[in-house]
Amino acid sequence: MQPRHAAFWLLLTQTQSTLANPLQLEKRDLATSPPYYPTPWMDSAADGWEEAYQKARDFVSQLTLLEKVNLTTGVGWESEQCVGNIGSIPRLGLRSLCMHDSPAGVRGADYSSVFPSGQTTAATWSRTLFYNRGFALGEEAKGKGVNVLLGPVAGPLGRMPTAGRNWEGFSPDPVLTGVGIAESTKGIQDAGVVACAKHWVGNEQEHFRIAGEARGYGFDISEALSSNIDDKTMHELYMWPFADAVRAGVGSVMCSYQQVNNSYGCQNSKLMNGLLKDELGFQGFIMSDWQAQHTGVAAAAAGLDMSMPGDTVFNSGRSYWGANLTTAVLNGTVPEWRIDDMAMRIMAAIFKVGQTIEQDPVNFSFWTQATYGPLHWRAKKGYQQINGHVDVRADHGDLIREVAAKGTVLLKNSGVLPLKKPKFVVAVGEDAGPNPLGPNACGDRGCNNGTLALGWGSGTANFPYLVTPDAALQARAIQDGSRYESVLSNYATSQIQNLVSLANVTAIVFVNSDSGENYINVEGNTGDRNNLTLWKNGDDLIKNVASRCPNTIVVIHSPGPVIVTDWYKNPNITAILWAGFPGQESGNSIVDVLYGAVSPGRTPFSWGANRESYGVDVMYTPNNGKGAPQQYFSEGNFIDYRHFDKSNSSLIYEFGHGLSYTTFEYSNLKVEKSNASAYQPTVGVRPAAPTFGNFSRNPSDYLFPSNGTDAIYLYVYPYLNTTDLAKASTDRNYGKKASEFLPPHAIDGSEQPLLRSSGKSAPGGNAQLYDVLYTITADITNTGSVAGDEIPQLYVSLGGPDDPLLVLRGFDRLRIEPGQTSQFKVSLTRRDLSNWDTTIQDWAISSYPKTVHVGRSSRKLDLSAALA
Ligand SMILES: *[C@@H]1O[C@H](CO)[C@@H](O)[C@H](O)[C@H]1NC(C)=O
Ligand SMILES: *[C@@H]1O[C@H](CO)[C@@H](O)[C@H](O)[C@H]1NC(C)=O
Ligand SMILES: *[C@@H]1O[C@H](CO)[C@@H](O)[C@H](O)[C@H]1NC(C)=O
Ligand SMILES: *[C@@H]1O[C@H](CO)[C@@H](O)[C@H](O)[C@H]1NC(C)=O
Ligand SMILES: *[C@@H]1O[C@H](CO)[C@@H](O)[C@H](O)[C@H]1NC(C)=O
Ligand SMILES: *[C@@H]1O[C@H](CO)[C@@H](O)[C@H](O)[C@H]1NC(C)=O
Ligand SMILES: *[C@@H]1O[C@H](CO)[C@@H](O)[C@H](O)[C@H]1NC(C)=O
Ligand SMILES: *[C@@H]1O[C@H](CO)[C@@H](O)[C@H](O)[C@H]1NC(C)=O
Ligand SMILES: *[C@@H]1O[C@H](CO)[C@@H](O)[C@H](O)[C@H]1NC(C)=O
Ligand SMILES: *[C@@H]1O[C@H](CO)[C@@H](O)[C@H](O)[C@H]1NC(C)=O
Ligand SMILES: *[C@@H]1O[C@H](CO)[C@@H](O)[C@H](O)[C@H]1NC(C)=O
């Protein structure tokens, strides 16, 4: 993309040329984030939030300052049962609310399910399955007493294929991810649990996301990585799916660990106040990632609403908020309207999903699976039954099996699939079998043993069982009268070769590659993958089998692409399947696809010929001395297929590719123009900030009840230890006025102008962005002999010199019987056809001629038409 800010991009060149011997850059040369204040307060008339805000107003108006502070501040790491809990309001009967992982299941719980990863779900391209998976996840969380489920994920988006947590999200395409995060959000929230869209924003790699963590790995840096993202790319790529989540009514958003333009995610006013709350009109609350908060008052002014898990660092007993927030409100540094806004946003999100003040108890403990134990784990206090072992799985196993099967991608098929009562099936590879130490042998799935069904880190859950491919294939073989053997080792070369050389063998080779979160090191991979090749000798295993067996089928479990260049063309390799991270029903899901019971999905990312073909990569070595590593998103919008389309880099399987067991014909493309009215920039004002209730200004009303004698060890409270505010705070710099360390108007609660790009009481941005400008239809006919699911995709060429060749703007998953025709229909909105105009700070449709393309992948576009 073209440089927009000369100094910014010049710096980029300098940084890269000094990579070999990095010196710390001068602070004045670094990318900066503009101040954006005051923080937009909630709009109680916002679409979809009216009733929730009515209830929140009734409740919050009754609260004391201490009670409001309790809502905003976590009680500290390991202080209650969940991965994060806020304080309670005993006077009004509200228990401590539970914020809990993960986007794939209830982390650390028992008798709950492990769902397919977000990325595998994305490969289904099915709105219904996105929603159903979200709903089932929500039901399980609800059944355990979770109030806020920490997912779904749109950051990382997937800029770099080696990045560790891409599998937790959906796809590097913002539209596919946008639909994924919006439908998941609706599902989770319809089940009665608040969803949390994370991580806002630019959280694209694991290395250097937290300075302390990086130091633990021997990198001497004092600040976390800065993702330097220009305004256009932010809007057109990274923010896009979050806008969909906000429009879907998401109740909470988690700000991220790393910095954007050298300002931390949880105190960056441009990101939280400007983009999320003002432009997108987000009405829920922003919580910090765990220990991602680095300041007290400044974070409050920048838009943070909840401190998680509440302590400054785990188990410090200290907090940037808690007593500090009480003090800051009493001394006037944090205005009353700001604490009221935090409380209102939190309670509105809770009410929006149908929760009430009376809550069922949390009936598990993240910290132990024992039945009895301390309620307050860190303090070892409150010994009681803490785990009800409540089985929340219902019939979710069926859905898990369906999603994983429909999200398995058939990359290659010479005609051997689907299998029909094969004479002799041989499964090969460690990845086909169980982990000898059990599916949950390693904490947070931090090892790669046996079949790989989920990556590692906080985005995981405990398997209630794990159906291995070996078990499911054997069961199916017995049912069919096939012969069956398996060799669950990657290194038994001669035994494998002898076996697969026998007559009539259908060999199915299982291989994998793993990734996860930075705090666990698996075989030298600290979250991000060190390479894009298969683990555990996988390439040699495949080659060994294929050298002896003319019917070799390869199944890949991985968190994104792997390099298949060496062997994918081998004629003995008759089929290749990508099975992602399938979750607990892994074996059953792969059997369903191999035997043709279920139609496969389409790849939600590109498969390059080599690592370099992606154009961008994880930064593995700091490039700014001891300062914050500087990661420039200089490729702009050109990631994944947009990059391949632009650069002619060597590509093996394109974005959207995937074979089917039947054939489809595309015809009859029609473009119908709607007469939407011209775009009206939003005008008007946000009325002055409201306050709810009164509070005492007398410090003695804020002391610990019973003089702190019953305080729980290392627990974070809202109370003051002494009526001397400075002493109660223990803040070394106590006494600074807001005007001394915050920009002007940072805490100004007077009427504010609305942004032209924002919505007027319409979450998601200016409502006219979602006006339908064109309706596109095409006919799809199943010309084969079996029923099948086709996944038609609609791409738009926006036409400008800076635009990608194609951008995905619509898709569907259609079940079509043989000989039948179904209509594929996409409504193209104003946003779909616009670019972000950095000058007017709004979306605008360029004058370049635009074209729509409909087809079966990003490179197989059967039909095209001009948008006139
Ligand atoms: C980051 O800096 C770029 C270049 O100046 C600018 O376009 C963008 O808006 C900034 N983003 C944030 C969040 O500060
Ligand atoms: C704040 O929360 C703590 C922890 O749940 C609770 O012990 C305390 O009573 C609460 N304080 C108020 C004022 O509600
Ligand atoms: C947790 O389980 C107990 C029974 O063990 C039940 O009474 C309670 O309602 C359950 N909590 C939730 C949130 O369902
Ligand atoms: C208040 O915040 C400061 C850091 O800004 C911290 O050092 C201090 O311990 C906090 N006070 C309390 C009571 O947690
Ligand atoms: C007010 O309290 C906050 C939090 O303890 C502190 O950081 C700030 O310095 C105080 N300001 C004044 C003017 O007392
Ligand atoms: C399990 O995996 C770890 C690392 O992922 C490896 O070091 C270890 O040898 C494996 N153990 C078994 C029993 O395969
Ligand atoms: C099994 O292998 C033998 C020897 O190659 C061949 O004659 C026979 O047709 C094969 N049967 C099947 C069902 O593939
Ligand atoms: C890629 O990483 C995996 C896991 O650490 C390792 O097993 C494999 O040998 C590496 N591949 C190459 C080519 O180094
Ligand atoms: C394919 O398998 C046959 C054995 O059936 C073997 O002779 C041949 O070399 C293999 N071809 C390749 C390209 O590996
Ligand atoms: C509270 O405790 C402090 C010491 O921890 C003591 O100096 C003070 O007198 C106590 N106040 C009351 C009212 O008991
Ligand atoms: C406040 O008092 C409680 C109870 O005595 C104690 O646990 C805590 O460490 C004190 N906090 C500060 C910031 O002094």
Side-chain angles (χ1 to χ4, degrees):
M1 73 168 287
Q2 294 303 305
R4 289 208 146 58
H5 303 271
F8 185 69
W9 301 109
L10 179 67
L11 182 68
L12 156 70
T13 335
Q14 291 167 349
T15 310
Q16 283 177 341
S17 63
T18 58
L19 248 178
N21 184 14
L23 297 169
Q24 193 157 336
L25 295 159
E26 292 290 330
K27 226 179 177 136
R28 63 182 148 78
D29 291 337
L30 296 179
T32 57
S33 206
Y36 196 104
Y37 298 96
T39 187
W41 38 93
M42 81 286 157
D43 173 0
S44 52
D47 293 350
W49 289 83
E50 305 92 326
E51 200 186 321
Y53 267 114
Q54 187 55 51
K55 290 179 181 165
R57 179 200 317 260
D58 292 345
F59 183 70
V60 171
S61 301
Q62 305 171 52
L63 301 185
T64 65
L65 175 56
L66 287 169
E67 289 165 338
K68 288 172 186 169
V69 171
N70 251 3
L71 287 179
T72 66
T73 307
V75 294
W77 182 241
E78 300 175 316
S79 284
E80 291 282 347
Q81 287 149 283
C82 299
V83 76
N85 285 77
I86 53 174
S88 60
I89 304 184
R91 184 176 65 90
L92 298 173
L94 180 68
R95 73 152 162 81
S96 162
L97 298 179
C98 161
M99 320 289 137
H100 200 70
D101 294 318
S102 82
V106 187
R107 183 180 175 204
D110 54 11
Y111 302 94
S112 58
S113 305
V114 173
F115 289 79
S117 68
Q119 189 183 50
T120 300
T121 310
T124 69
W125 300 65
S126 164
R127 284 175 177 74
T128 314
L129 293 179
F130 288 139
Y131 177 89
N132 291 350
R133 172 176 170 276
F135 191 81
L137 275 164
E139 283 185 322
E140 296 204 6
K142 177 110 183 131
K144 293 286 185 185
V146 173
N147 301 97
V148 181
L149 176 65
L150 306 179
V153 175
L157 185 67
R159 176 179 184 253
M160 300 154 297
T162 43
R165 297 180 77 179
N166 291 349
W167 56 273
E168 292 188 48
F170 298 96
S171 160
D173 180 84
V175 169
L176 182 52
T177 292
V179 172
I181 193 169
E183 294 303 316
S184 304
T185 294
K186 290 182 207 163
I188 292 167
Q189 297 198 159
D190 284 353
V193 174
V194 178
C196 179
K198 69 184 191 182
H199 306 85
W200 174 257
V201 59
N203 190 170
E204 293 293 322
Q205 70 167 47
E206 290 300 289
H207 279 76
F208 320 130
R209 62 179 191 157
I210 303 169
E213 196 176 59
R215 285 195 296 272
Y217 289 117
F219 297 105
D220 186 14
I221 55 171
S222 56
E223 304 295 342
L225 177 93
S226 176
S227 295
N228 300 328
I229 310 176
D230 68 275
D231 194 29
K232 179 175 155 77
T233 305
M234 178 62 86
H235 280 84
E236 295 182 3
L237 195 58
Y238 297 99
M239 245 176 100
W240 182 292
F242 284 98
D244 291 315
V246 171
R247 194 152 181 264
V250 73
S252 68
V253 169
M254 188 187 292
C255 52
S256 60
Y257 283 123
Q258 98 297 338
Q259 309 191 68
V260 171
N261 291 5
N262 296 291
S263 170
Y264 277 100
C266 294
Q267 66 198 54
N268 186 316
S269 63
K270 171 71 178 171
L271 291 182
M272 295 193 290
N273 292 343
L275 301 181
L276 186 56
K277 287 185 171 173
D278 212 355
E279 189 179 324
L280 296 185
F282 173 57
Q283 297 303 324
F285 66 95
I286 304 178
M287 75 170 82
S288 68
D289 204 336
W290 272 233
Q291 296 186 105
Q293 187 183 6
H294 302 280
T295 61
V297 172
L304 186 71
D305 301 298
M306 183 187 281
S307 170
M308 274 291 132
D311 34 18
T312 50
V313 295
F314 290 169
N315 302 132
S316 65
R318 302 302 173 116
S319 180
Y320 291 109
W321 285 4
N324 269 323
L325 188 52
T326 307
T327 309
V329 176
L330 288 178
N331 74 21
T333 310
V334 168
E336 184 182 359
W337 64 259
R338 180 73 265 260
I339 180 84
D340 285 0
D341 180 45
M342 294 177 191
M344 286 286 282
R345 286 172 174 275
I346 292 164
M347 291 313 298
I350 293 293
F351 291 129
K352 186 172 194 296
V353 301
Q355 292 180 26
T356 57
I357 297 306
E358 274 137 55
Q359 297 267 350
D360 285 332
V362 173
N363 54 32
F364 74 107
S365 170
F366 174 57
W367 317 105
T368 176
Q369 288 198 15
T371 308
Y372 295 90
L375 194 60
H376 310 294
W377 185 253
R378 178 62 187 82
K380 297 280 175 270
K381 212 172 168 179
Y383 192 86
Q384 62 174 69
Q385 180 171 350
I386 51 174
N387 191 348
H389 309 290
V390 179
D391 195 330
V392 294
R393 293 173 296 165
D395 59 356
H396 298 160
D398 296 344
L399 174 68
I400 291 166
R401 176 175 181 162
E402 181 187 1
V403 170
K406 290 184 173 171
T408 294
V409 182
L410 189 52
L411 294 168
K412 174 180 179 177
N413 182 14
S414 65
V416 291
L417 297 182
L419 297 174
K420 287 179 206 76
K421 297 190 192 291
K423 200 171 166 77
F424 184 10
V425 176
V426 174
V428 179
E430 181 184 320
D431 184 71
N435 180 339
L437 303 180
N440 298 312
C442 303
D444 291 337
R445 310 297 76 78
C447 60
N448 181 5
N449 301 110
T451 197
L452 186 60
L454 201 64
W456 75 80
S458 64
T460 58
N462 293 328
F463 287 104
Y465 58 79
L466 174 51
V467 180
T468 64
D470 181 41
L473 283 167
Q474 172 166 303
R476 177 60 190 242
I478 292 168
Q479 186 190 318
D480 281 353
S482 304
R483 178 181 168 193
Y484 182 79
E485 288 193 39
S486 57
V487 182
L488 305 179
S489 161
N490 291 6
Y491 302 98
T493 307
S494 58
Q495 289 90 337
I496 291 169
Q497 287 186 345
N498 291 341
L499 188 61
V500 302
S501 300
L502 298 177
N504 306 117
V505 166
T506 299
I508 311 179
V509 188
F510 287 86
V511 288
N512 70 37
S513 160
D514 201 359
S515 79
E517 200 172 344
N518 195 219
Y519 68 91
I520 301 176
N521 177 341
V522 178
E523 301 185 34
N525 298 262
T526 53
D528 304 315
R529 287 189 278 173
N530 288 337
N531 60 52
L532 285 179
T533 55
L534 294 168
W535 289 30
K536 298 174 183 263
N537 208 30
D539 286 287
D540 286 344
L541 179 70
I542 293 168
K543 288 177 201 165
N544 285 339
V545 175
S547 72
R548 302 294 173 101
C549 177
N551 189 11
T552 303
I553 296 167
V554 175
V555 177
I556 302 162
H557 288 124
S558 70
V562 296
I563 303 304
V564 301
T565 311
D566 271 3
W567 44 262
Y568 79 105
K569 277 188 175 156
N570 184 328
N572 284 357
I573 296 180
T574 50
I576 305 174
L577 297 98
W578 177 70
F581 285 160
Q584 71 192 36
E585 289 279 337
S586 177
N588 288 331
S589 303
I590 196 70
V591 164
D592 286 346
V593 176
L594 289 169
Y595 286 79
V598 167
S599 291
R602 304 291 182 266
T603 179
F605 49 80
S606 305
W607 295 67
N610 51 58
R611 182 176 189 161
E612 292 70 36
S613 58
Y614 290 89
V616 284
D617 207 339
V618 162
M619 181 191 289
Y620 294 92
T621 313
N623 65 350
N624 183 23
K626 292 187 179 186
Q630 300 293 309
Q631 188 162 58
Y632 293 89
F633 287 43
S634 50
E635 73 290 343
N637 279 317
F638 295 91
I639 64 168
D640 200 73
Y641 68 90
R642 300 152 180 232
H643 163 74
F644 283 98
D645 287 348
K646 184 188 183 190
S647 68
N648 283 322
S649 282
S650 190
L651 179 69
I652 294 193
Y653 297 118
E654 75 275 14
F655 176 83
H657 166 74
L659 303 171
S660 155
Y661 292 139
T662 181
T663 51
F664 297 98
E665 214 173 83
Y666 284 60
S667 63
N668 203 18
L669 180 68
K670 284 190 183 147
V671 175
E672 194 188 307
K673 190 170 181 167
S674 321
N675 44 10
S677 51
Y679 185 71
Q680 300 291 332
T682 293
V683 291
V685 294
R686 176 181 306 109
T691 56
F692 303 91
N694 298 305
F695 65 91
S696 152
R697 300 249 167 209
N698 181 353
S700 60
D701 291 336
Y702 293 89
L703 294 176
F704 256 100
S706 56
N707 209 5
T709 47
D710 57 358
I712 298 162
Y713 181 56
L714 296 185
Y715 206 90
V716 173
Y717 290 98
Y719 306 116
L720 309 181
N721 271 11
T722 146
T723 52
D724 179 333
L725 295 184
K727 280 190 182 149
S729 152
T730 70
D731 181 352
R732 281 205 202 109
N733 302 315
Y734 189 89
K736 280 209 172 150
K737 296 196 172 66
S739 57
E740 293 176 67
F741 64 101
L742 292 175
H745 309 298
I747 59 170
D748 178 0
S750 66
E751 168 182 295
Q752 299 291 322
L754 293 175
L755 283 180
R756 56 175 288 155
S757 56
S758 75
K760 200 165 201 168
S761 297
N766 191 317
Q768 294 194 343
L769 291 172
Y770 301 94
D771 286 349
V772 174
L773 302 194
Y774 293 91
T775 302
I776 318 293
T777 53
D779 289 341
I780 298 163
T781 306
N782 183 343
T783 52
S785 55
V786 294
D789 294 2
E790 178 59 337
I791 299 178
Q793 299 157 40
L794 182 146
Y795 295 83
V796 172
S797 298
L798 292 169
D802 287 348
D803 291 319
L805 179 68
L806 300 168
V807 288
L808 179 77
R809 286 296 188 254
F811 61 85
D812 206 347
R813 183 176 182 120
L814 302 170
R815 177 85 184 159
I816 312 178
E817 297 298 318
Q820 299 296 302
T821 297
S822 286
Q823 193 183 58
F824 170 51
K825 183 172 168 184
V826 173
S827 301
L828 282 179
T829 65
R830 180 173 267 119
R831 181 179 67 149
D832 287 332
L833 300 176
S834 296
N835 290 101
W836 178 253
D837 184 324
T838 57
T839 308
I840 61 165
Q841 286 291 300
D842 204 349
W843 294 92
I845 299 179
S846 72
S847 56
Y848 298 108
K850 310 202 182 318
T851 321
V852 282
H853 306 271
V854 170
R856 47 198 100 212
S857 82
S858 62
R859 296 246 169 134
K860 296 187 192 88
L861 301 164
D862 300 71
L863 309 170
S864 299
L867 284 179

